[in-house]
Amino acid sequence: MNRSRFTLIDRLSVIRNRCYDRREALIKAAIWLMSFLAATRLAYQFWRLLLDNSPNGAIDLGFVHKWVGSWFAGDHLNEIILLPASYAMLWPFTGWLSFESSRWLWALLYIIFLVWLSFIVIRETGSGRRRDVLFTVLFILAIYPTSITIGNGQLILFLLPCILTAVLMESEHGIGATKEIIVSFLFLFSLLKTTIAVPFLLIPLVRARAFRPLAIAGCGYILLTYIAISYRDSGAVEIFRTWLHDSTALAAVGGYADVHIWLARLGLKQFILPLSFIILGVFGLWLYTFREADVWIHLGVAAIVARLWTYHRLYDDLLILIPVITVFRIVRSGRLSPNQRLAADLLLAVSWLGLLSPGFFLQLPFPFGTPFRTAQAFIWLSLLAFLLYYSYKTGRTEPA
């Protein structure tokens, strides 16, 4: 068995070395591939966002526009999917506009937030050379979650730069009052979608004891909740009970590759909420144990937890960009053993391919789409295992 294992490692090492020998040609080919994917995908998805008048055009933005308008008009809602504060936060982006105007505003915002996200990734990966910058930007533009987010009119592209900026700023020592206000505002805005934000908010809470900015964000969230509820005839308790019922029901039938849909398929819906909170609790304990680790280790693990612990669809796969960046930073640190470097290189390669693959395959019904969905989940769990292994083997203060 050992000889077979070493033979496999040796073979993978040979393949990796051959790829390194041809890295210039491979990088050029990758840039051409990503250029093609970015151009075709973004052209189609911006058309969906701006001009497609079928039910598929800006479908989620259409729902949000309708929900926000109905909420503040006091109209009856068949279901409550978002928490009350989210309706208040979304109003400036769509509540006072027509649907067509909202589509153009969101297109502009997507461009701004893509530039913001690209700047963060370029800076944090140390992409100094022009070719590295081009590769990084094209990767962000070409992956399927980016384009699907735009075409659907989803929120993850707004949230990710805010979350990364806030956590990275809070990880700096001795931030001033101005930065603290900015961090508080970014934390508050990230709560637009709590299922994404909550695991990340545990990082500054456990790592830096960032009570004040989180408390400010919490007070702002309570105020927005109060404002939103004041437009409804129903009381707060009834609204939150309806939200819990409707969001749990949606999680049991929609989404893919998360614990909610897995439990629902196994007929264990009653364990959806308990298991989600158990996962969040275990993540909090891990954060406390490795609270001195590099912030990007925390971000990488938090992103995978955020993707798996509750209901998500294809567009939220953009979260996986964060652990990919983390593994890349670890590789560039030069602190890995040969076998660890081999595993990290393999993870980066399959993650790159997985995020560039057609999202259409992941939407295929059972059994045709099952191998693709399983493969994606396996990649994410492998990234998680590598980051947990790295944090354990290298101690609690090793930088990424």
Side-chain angles (χ1 to χ4, degrees), residues 81-87 89 155-156 159 163 187-202 217 221 225 240 243 247 277 280 302 305-307 309-312 316 319:
I81 302 301
L82 302 174
L83 284 166
S86 297
Y87 293 98
M89 283 190 272
L155 302 172
I156 180 65
L159 304 183
I163 290 170
F187 283 154
L188 173 59
F189 184 74
S190 69
L191 287 169
L192 180 60
K193 199 167 185 178
T194 54
T195 54
I196 289 175
V198 168
F200 291 100
L201 296 185
L202 288 177
Y221 193 82
T225 299
F240 280 102
W243 165 79
S247 59
F277 284 109
L280 198 63
V305 170
R307 180 57 187 81
W309 82 297
T310 188
Y311 160 82
H312 291 296
D316 288 335
L319 285 163

Side-chain angles (χ1 to χ4, degrees), residues 12-141:
L12 290 174
S13 298
V14 169
I15 295 172
R16 193 268 306 273
N17 292 336
R18 288 177 179 175
C19 290
Y20 269 103
D21 292 339
R22 297 169 175 81
R23 61 183 177 274
E24 294 298 328
L26 289 174
I27 289 174
K28 288 181 180 179
I31 287 175
W32 278 107
L33 172 62
M34 291 189 296
S35 298
F36 172 76
L37 290 176
T40 53
R41 286 176 170 176
L42 291 178
Y44 172 65
Q45 297 294 355
F46 269 107
W47 172 80
R48 280 186 62 213
L49 174 65
L50 294 171
L51 302 174
D52 185 4
N53 292 319
S54 73
N56 193 44
I59 181 171
D60 291 324
L61 175 55
F63 289 140
V64 167
H65 182 269
K66 179 181 178 181
W67 292 340
V68 172
S70 297
W71 182 279
F72 289 101
D75 298 337
H76 172 72
L77 291 173
N78 293 327
E79 57 183 2
I80 299 178
I81 302 301
L82 302 174
L83 284 166
S86 297
Y87 293 98
M89 283 190 272
L90 284 167
W91 186 88
F93 301 100
T94 186
W96 59 284
L97 296 169
S98 67
F99 176 53
E100 292 302 322
S101 298
S102 297
R103 297 171 85 165
W104 287 95
L105 174 60
W106 283 47
L108 176 61
L109 290 174
Y110 281 138
I111 294 171
I112 294 172
F113 278 80
L114 277 171
V115 172
W116 184 359
L117 179 60
S118 299
F119 173 79
I120 295 172
V121 177
I122 290 168
R123 183 190 64 192
E124 296 297 324
T125 56
S127 302
R129 294 186 301 172
R130 182 179 300 178
R131 187 187 65 181
D132 295 339
V133 171
L134 179 62
F135 188 98
T136 300
V137 173
L138 285 174
F139 179 59
I140 295 171
L141 297 178

Side-chain angles (χ1 to χ4, degrees), residues 211-273:
F211 297 115
R212 187 157 57 185
L214 288 173
I216 294 172
C219 290
Y221 193 82
I222 293 172
L223 176 61
L224 290 172
T225 299
Y226 175 78
I227 292 172
I229 289 177
S230 69
Y231 282 82
R232 309 299 298 175
D233 294 331
S234 303
V237 174
E238 182 180 347
I239 288 174
F240 280 102
R241 185 187 295 118
T242 303
W243 165 79
L244 184 62
H245 174 270
D246 292 346
S247 59
T248 303
L250 177 63
V253 297
Y256 91 102
D258 57 67
V259 296
H260 283 200
I261 197 68
W262 291 333
L263 289 175
R265 296 282 169 82
L266 293 172
L268 302 172
K269 293 181 182 180
Q270 67 273 23
F271 295 108
I272 284 179
L273 285 179

